[in-house]
Amino acid sequence: MDLLAAGFVYLAAAVIAVPLANRLGLGSVLGYLIAGVIIGPLLGVVGQEATEVQHFAEFGVVMMLFLVGLELQPSQLWAMRYQLAGLGGLQVVLSTVTIGGVAWCFGLAWQSALALGMILALSSTAIVLQTLHEKGLMTTHGGQSAFSVLLTQDIAVIPMLALMPLLAVTGASQGHKGSQAAHGDTEASTHGQIAHLFSTLPDWLQVVVILTVIGGIILAGRILMRPLLRFIAQSGLREIFTAAALLLVIGIALLMSLVGLSPALGTFLAGVVLSDSEYRHELESDVEPFKGLLLGLFFITVGATIDVGLLMSEAATVVSIALGLLLLKGSILFALASLFGLRGANRWLFTLGLAQAGEFAFVLFAFATSSGVLDDEITRIMTLAAALTMLMTPLLFILFEKVLAPRAQPSSTGESPTIDQRESIVVAGMGRFGQIVARLLTSRGHEVTILDHDPETIEHLARIGFRVYYGDATRPDLLESAGLPSASLLIAALDDRDKQTRLVEQVANRWPHVSVLARAHDRHHVYELEKAGAHHVERETFESALHLGGEALTVLGEHPFAARKATNRFRQHDLQSLNELRAAWEEEGVSGRYIDAMRAQHGMLVQVMQSDRKDDALSRSERGWNPPPEGDATQ
């Protein structure tokens, strides 16, 4: 099947199956897996190329770890150190020993049993993180604990790859030669041949190279990336910024592969370094669509590569292994969850979420077979069992969400903070209007997320201390990354009139719970923004122009009190006419009827103001300025 035909088949399967799965409450991950099973084993539309596509789609996991790193600042990662080393480390060690022990009891050599334990100790980063984000469970205690274990597992892949060739056994080597060619591409594409670039160096020098690369990534992220991203942003070309984001991810993944480290781990580190950058949300928005497509493609290939013939001939064995693995890992995870203070729904989320095998199992099984650690027949059966556990994972999440979570009593203690505490206020636009609003809010102790598209503005404001991020605030994906789904207030202060209206309309339609306060250019723009869904609209120059007009009356010889009274009366009449003219504008726009109504309102204003000016006799209550209350700080 050629490239265009294959692309059409995969996209068609996703477009049809995923919306149906979501409609049935199954989630997008299970929809992708079902789509893969249909076009692969059932219909036979795709064949051996699915394995090659899977290697390419695995890059979606790399992108996902980069996005996770962008949401996790270094201080928060340091706060998770006990979960990473304790909870994650114990999970990997205990699962490896237990699964390996069971395999040894069934007659495998201890080397093969240990390799099997290491491989099956890992869980699916792609499925778990995608499902946690999709269902809004990432910020729970159970979700964060699951993430810390997944991150530890990704780090553990590095020593596993180094240890695997040392476990080679003679019996397994008999059957590995035939599969070596079949899996050679997997080895080379992931960690095999590329990692050997530095294999001839002494061990201590390899360590120096690895530490140098990691240090270079950190320094580049801190020193070089911000000026570079600012330079690219100044071009004003969105596609170039997207290209820069992809170049960053691909370049770091390639660099980590050259030194034999996990590409996902490298991009995660880069994301953490850039997590406090003002360009963070724009990077997140640009990479997110590619990550989503690649992960979806990966899930489809998992379903498409299911060996139905083997499943039918060895159904009892494969299903028993899959269920046994879920039960064995689940028991270990449940015990660790209890040990580390997870209770109620969080404990079940942690247990069911990580009980499956992971996508790295496909890579490690191929590597173990080509290295002579596992027999080819064992690899085929265990690979199929691992794929079945991944297929079952969305069903386990549904079990948790529909049955266990409503019945569980979540603990009110021991909750850790969210990975990224989104601010409840978002200010879009930091021009002359937005800056004043943001300064007022921050001076009163409110934390705000500020979005602006001018690189120089965000650079200056970041130095002052504002939390400002680069990006086009009319993009829904950027708004979602900035925290609009969990925000309580949006200050819409964009300079561009059309973009301002479009922003208000998008937020009002997608996140109706968010209160929208908007700045308008003129009277007609007020009506447009109110129609778009703004809760309160303020004309940007009205109050300042009114105040200046009052000063002009004073310069022209009127008493300050009379000038203040005139501006108050003008404000009152203008707001009244604004309400009275709204119906005419909504029906016909700026029509002849609307203009006649405006002319009549202006005539009434002139009469009122002239009448006030002729009335020189002030009432007793208006004879002078009212002094402030006693003890007021403004005296």
Side-chain angles (χ1 to χ4, degrees):
M1 183 182 294
D2 59 38
L3 180 62
L4 287 178
F8 176 80
V9 170
Y10 284 111
L11 290 175
V15 169
I16 295 173
V18 174
L20 289 176
N22 275 332
R23 181 68 62 88
L24 297 174
L26 302 179
S28 65
V29 174
L30 188 56
Y32 285 120
L33 293 171
I34 294 174
V37 172
I38 293 174
I39 65 175
L42 294 184
L43 300 181
V45 179
V46 297
Q48 293 299 323
E49 77 279 354
T51 303
E52 299 178 3
V53 173
Q54 188 176 84
H55 301 331
F56 168 75
E58 285 172 358
F59 195 71
V61 181
V62 175
M63 289 187 169
M64 180 174 60
L65 265 295
F66 176 72
L67 294 177
V68 170
L70 283 176
E71 296 184 358
L72 192 64
Q73 296 182 353
S75 59
Q76 295 165 329
L77 184 61
W78 178 252
M80 295 172 60
R81 62 190 184 278
Y82 297 113
Q83 285 183 313
L84 292 172
L87 183 58
L90 280 176
Q91 186 277 327
V92 172
V93 172
L94 291 179
S95 296
T96 298
V97 172
T98 305
I99 297 172
V102 172
W104 180 72
C105 292
F106 276 87
L108 266 69
W110 71 267
Q111 297 95 328
S112 299
L114 179 58
L116 201 61
M118 289 190 298
I119 295 171
L120 297 179
L122 305 178
S123 305
S124 175
T125 302
I127 292 180
V128 176
L129 289 189
Q130 176 76 2
T131 307
L132 289 177
H133 280 294
E134 181 180 303
K135 296 183 178 296
L137 299 172
M138 191 63 186
T139 57
T140 64
H141 196 186
Q144 290 184 57
S145 299
F147 166 73
S148 65
V149 170
L150 290 170
L151 182 57
T152 305
Q153 290 177 355
D154 191 61
I155 298 172
V157 171
I158 301 167
M160 288 181 184
L161 286 166
L163 183 60
M164 203 69 70
L166 303 179
L167 297 177
V169 291
T170 305
S173 63
Q174 301 294 331
H176 91 276
K177 293 182 180 179
S179 63
Q180 192 168 7
H183 297 293
D185 293 339
T186 303
E187 179 186 351
S189 64
T190 314
H191 296 280
Q193 296 174 1
I194 292 179
H196 289 305
L197 287 176
F198 295 95
S199 61
T200 57
L201 298 178
D203 292 341
W204 67 269
L205 191 54
Q206 292 186 40
V207 173
V208 171
V209 171
I210 291 173
L211 293 178
T212 302
V213 169
I214 293 176
I217 292 176
I218 296 175
L219 288 177
R222 290 291 184 185
I223 300 174
L224 299 179
M225 287 311 302
R226 287 188 180 182
L228 178 61
L229 292 174
R230 181 171 66 252
F231 172 76
I232 296 172
Q234 287 173 342
S235 68
L237 299 175
R238 175 181 169 185
E239 63 273 15
I240 299 301
F241 201 97
T242 302
L246 293 176
L247 178 64
L248 173 65
V249 176
I250 295 173
I252 293 175
L254 179 62
L255 181 62
M256 296 297 281
S257 297
L258 290 174
V259 296
L261 295 180
S262 167
L265 181 61
T267 52
F268 171 78
L269 178 61
V272 172
V273 173
L274 293 172
S275 62
D276 57 354
S277 166
E278 55 268 26
Y279 299 97
R280 159 192 160 191
H281 291 304
E282 182 70 9
L283 288 169
E284 189 174 359
S285 300
D286 287 338
V287 174
E288 177 68 33
F290 297 96
K291 183 269 295 183
L293 285 174
L294 287 175
L295 278 183
L297 182 61
F298 172 77
F299 297 140
I300 291 177
T301 59
V302 171
T305 52
I306 294 293
D307 190 341
V308 176
L310 181 61
L311 180 60
M312 293 300 180
S313 61
E314 301 287 346
T317 301
V318 174
V319 173
S320 298
I321 292 174
L323 294 177
L325 178 61
L326 290 173
L327 182 61
L328 192 60
K329 285 185 69 175
S331 301
I332 297 172
L333 291 164
F334 191 87
L336 289 175
S338 302
L339 179 64
F340 280 81
L342 292 174
R343 298 290 183 269
N346 287 315
R347 179 164 55 187
W348 284 113
L349 174 62
F350 178 79
T351 300
L352 298 179
L354 298 176
Q356 79 291 127
E359 54 274 351
F360 271 114
F362 303 118
V363 176
L364 291 173
F365 273 132
F367 189 63
T369 305
S370 63
S371 300
V373 183
L374 291 175
D375 182 83
D376 184 55
E377 186 65 25
I378 294 176
T379 297
R380 292 178 61 213
I381 293 178
M382 297 308 300
T383 300
L384 181 57
L388 281 183
T389 63
M390 295 173 69
L391 283 170
M392 295 177 187
T393 300
L395 299 176
L396 295 179
F397 272 104
I398 294 175
L399 173 66
F400 163 80
E401 196 173 28
K402 303 295 184 182
V403 179
L404 297 177
R407 297 182 180 181
Q409 296 295 328
S411 174
S412 60
T413 61
E415 294 291 327
S416 61
T418 60
I419 286 181
D420 181 18
Q421 184 63 44
R422 305 288 190 184
E423 292 76 20
S424 60
I425 303 172
V426 177
V427 178
M430 279 297 281
R432 59 186 184 275
F433 190 93
Q435 289 186 28
I436 296 174
V437 179
R439 287 173 57 197
L440 175 61
L441 295 175
T442 55
S443 67
R444 295 289 289 180
H446 296 283
E447 293 291 333
V448 299
T449 294
I450 299 170
L451 303 178
D452 196 86
H453 68 281
D454 184 2
E456 293 184 5
T457 298
I458 64 174
E459 188 76 15
H460 295 325
L461 293 172
R463 292 176 181 176
I464 298 173
F466 284 103
R467 292 175 56 84
V468 191
Y469 298 99
Y470 171 81
D472 183 357
T474 61
R475 292 173 55 184
D477 54 350
L478 180 62
L479 292 172
E480 186 165 353
S481 299
L484 254 296
S486 59
S488 60
L489 176 63
L490 168 70
I491 306 296
L494 300 182
D495 291 330
D496 188 285
R497 175 173 180 153
D498 294 334
K499 284 188 175 182
Q500 175 81 339
T501 306
R502 188 161 66 249
L503 168 63
V504 171
E505 187 175 15
Q506 288 176 352
V507 174
N509 291 335
R510 298 189 61 172
W511 302 290
H513 68 279
V514 178
S515 298
V516 180
L517 309 184
R519 147 261 194 105
H521 286 254
D522 52 33
R523 178 190 296 261
H524 299 154
H525 198 205
V526 171
Y527 299 144
E528 294 174 7
L529 292 172
E530 289 177 343
K531 186 178 180 180
H535 297 88
H536 178 78
V537 182
E538 195 73 36
R539 284 169 286 177
E540 60 179 359
T541 58
F542 181 73
E543 288 295 335
S544 57
L546 197 59
H547 179 75
L548 187 63
E551 292 295 325
L553 293 177
T554 304
V555 172
L556 292 173
E558 294 195 27
H559 190 278
F561 178 76
R564 175 62 65 86
K565 181 180 177 181
T567 57
N568 289 339
R569 181 61 63 92
F570 184 93
R571 180 188 293 105
Q572 179 182 2
H573 184 275
D574 187 84
L575 294 177
Q576 180 180 348
S577 66
L578 184 68
N579 293 327
E580 292 178 354
L581 293 172
R582 181 180 287 105
W585 184 88
E586 291 177 350
E587 291 178 5
E588 304 177 10
V590 185
S591 61
R593 174 190 167 201
Y594 177 82
I595 294 175
D596 292 340
M598 282 194 65
R599 186 182 295 112
Q601 289 287 346
H602 181 69
M604 292 175 57
L605 174 64
V606 172
Q607 292 179 6
V608 170
M609 300 297 284
Q610 293 294 334
S611 175
D612 286 348
R613 186 173 185 181
K614 292 177 182 178
D615 186 9
D616 294 329
L618 300 176
S619 65
R620 180 178 298 272
S621 62
E622 296 175 332
R623 200 168 292 278
W625 298 103
N626 291 327
E630 183 177 354
D632 192 280
T634 60
Q635 292 188 65

